[in-house]
Amino acid sequence: MHMDSRHLMQRASLPVSEIGEAAMVRAALDGLALRLDGRPAAPTTVRRKRSVFYNVLQYAVELEALPFNPVDQIRVRAQRATIAESVDRRVVVNGRQARELLTAVSYVGERGRVGRGERLVAFFACLYFAALRPSEALALREQDCHLPTTGWGRLTLVDNRPQAGKRWTDSGEVHDRRGLKHRAAAESRVVPIPPELVGILRRHVDRFGVADDGRLFRSDKGNVVAASTYSRV
């Protein structure tokens, strides 16, 4: 870590002894329940942040910097997450709109040559029809796809390629190699896919082929598609 960054962190951080005080912990927990604009954060976001905060203090206990985890002494009323809060059908695109968006994607790029948008139609189709995360779709390989000529197919997700930046990956690549979120290392997840997505993926492979390692989605230079690229599309 750069020395200036370390000094900034030191100036912005409290001594561990003060973090162990109940009033300070209560203030921290209250802060984790808010967004940057001051409005209440989603229950799932609050739980995730509190889990990280708890584990940081637990690490301090392991190092004997704190006698116990002070969060255990604070009573917090848990927020309930409901399906109605996580999915609002009024703002989710319907099937007709999704197909129109995929068609529009195919027109993005330079005329007279295969544009970046045309290469990403199947990528965005995976996000809609199979509900994949972008990083899961980028990790798809041909051998992970069961694409029959008729009927439903399936995707076996075994990898995750989030974009972290070359400075933060062990391999020096822009995209890190990780397992699936909320799953044990090397644990896979099988996703059934409708015939429409099967056809889209079959046409994608026939037209663009796959990378040397079997990946379905790559840039015109053969690299993993960057988040900035599909965001622009």
Side-chain angles (χ1 to χ4, degrees):
M1 183 180 294
H2 196 274
M3 187 61 67
D4 289 342
S5 300
R6 184 176 301 173
H7 289 163
L8 287 172
M9 290 181 64
Q10 290 175 345
R11 289 199 299 269
S13 302
L14 293 172
V16 176
S17 58
E18 292 187 27
I19 297 176
E21 297 176 3
M24 198 64 67
V25 174
R26 166 64 69 181
L29 292 176
D30 290 343
L32 294 177
L34 300 175
R35 304 191 317 187
L36 291 178
D37 60 7
R39 299 170 59 186
T44 52
T45 300
V46 175
R47 284 198 297 269
R48 183 180 71 251
K49 290 184 176 180
R50 284 178 175 170
S51 176
V52 172
F53 182 57
Y54 183 91
N55 289 333
V56 168
L57 294 181
Q58 193 61 35
Y59 181 61
V61 174
E62 294 177 8
L63 296 180
E64 298 183 350
L66 289 174
F68 58 86
N69 195 321
V71 177
D72 293 332
Q73 311 299 312
I74 306 296
R75 296 189 61 181
V76 178
R77 184 177 180 180
Q79 294 178 284
R80 294 182 60 185
T82 64
I83 296 178
E85 293 174 338
S86 59
V87 178
D88 187 346
R89 293 184 180 274
R90 296 171 298 176
V91 296
V92 175
V93 297
N94 58 42
R96 177 184 60 80
Q97 293 169 328
R99 292 176 179 88
E100 290 178 353
L101 287 168
L102 292 177
T103 300
V105 163
S106 69
Y107 285 94
V108 176
E110 300 179 20
R111 291 184 178 182
R113 55 177 296 184
V114 178
R116 61 180 57 175
E118 195 172 354
R119 288 180 172 273
L120 291 175
V121 170
F123 167 80
F124 286 111
C126 285
L127 271 55
Y128 180 76
F129 289 108
L132 300 191
R133 296 179 174 89
S135 57
E136 292 173 339
L138 292 178
L140 272 180
R141 299 169 300 170
E142 187 176 21
Q143 56 264 44
D144 302 329
C145 307
H146 174 62
L147 307 174
T149 54
T150 60
W152 284 64
R154 68 175 179 272
L155 304 177
T156 302
L157 307 182
V158 296
D159 203 0
N160 190 23
R161 295 298 298 272
Q163 182 167 317
K166 295 181 179 180
R167 295 177 58 190
W168 313 109
T169 59
D170 294 334
S171 63
E173 298 179 0
V174 174
H175 291 79
D176 202 1
R177 292 179 180 270
R178 299 182 184 176
L180 302 178
K181 291 189 68 174
H182 310 304
R183 302 240 170 189
E187 183 180 358
S188 62
R189 175 164 62 91
V190 177
V191 179
I193 58 175
E196 186 169 359
L197 179 56
V198 172
I200 292 173
L201 290 173
R202 288 175 65 92
R203 290 190 293 273
H204 175 84
V205 173
D206 290 342
R207 180 166 173 73
F208 301 110
V210 297
D212 293 339
D213 59 359
R215 281 183 292 104
L216 266 61
F217 306 118
R218 53 179 175 163
S219 67
D220 53 2
K221 297 180 180 179
N223 303 320
V224 179
V225 179
S228 58
T229 298
Y230 65 72
S231 296
R232 284 196 299 269
V233 170

